[in-house]
Amino acid sequence: MVRKIALAILLTTAAGIASATPTGMTCTTHYFLGIIPYEVCTWNNPPPKPVVAAPEIDATSALAGLTLMIGALAVLRGRRSKVANA
C-alpha cells in the first residue's frame, strides 16, 4: 500500500514538472460549456526557430553500414538448422 502511495506521489510530481509553463508563455484557463476546463497558452515573444543541420553520410560510412548489414544477414542465415533426410 505504501508503494502505491509513493508511486502516485512520484507520478503526480513528474506530471506537474512536465506541465510547467516555460518563460515567455502566458496560459489562461477557459471552460467548455462552463464545466470542462482547458488551458490556452500563447507566446509573448515567439522563440526563434533553431537551424538544424542535416547529417551527411560519406561513402566510407555508407560502405561500413552496408558491410555490417551483409555480415549480420550472413550470420543469421548460417544459424538456420539443417534438416537431415532419413
Side-chain angles (χ1 to χ4, degrees):
M1 183 69 176
V2 174
R3 282 184 170 174
K4 290 181 181 179
I5 294 172
L7 183 61
I9 291 171
L10 178 69
L11 291 175
T12 305
T13 304
I17 291 171
S19 66
T21 305
T23 57
M25 182 178 279
T26 304
C27 296
T28 56
T29 303
H30 297 272
Y31 291 92
F32 181 71
L33 298 176
I35 300 171
I36 303 169
Y38 64 96
E39 208 169 23
V40 177
C41 298
T42 56
W43 286 102
N44 297 338
N45 293 321
K49 303 234 183 219
V51 177
V52 179
E56 295 182 10
I57 299 176
D58 58 342
T60 307
S61 297
L63 189 60
L66 184 65
T67 305
L68 183 64
M69 184 182 69
I70 291 172
L73 289 174
V75 168
L76 290 174
R77 183 162 171 81
R79 289 189 180 187
R80 289 188 181 171
S81 62
K82 307 286 184 197
V83 178
N85 294 332

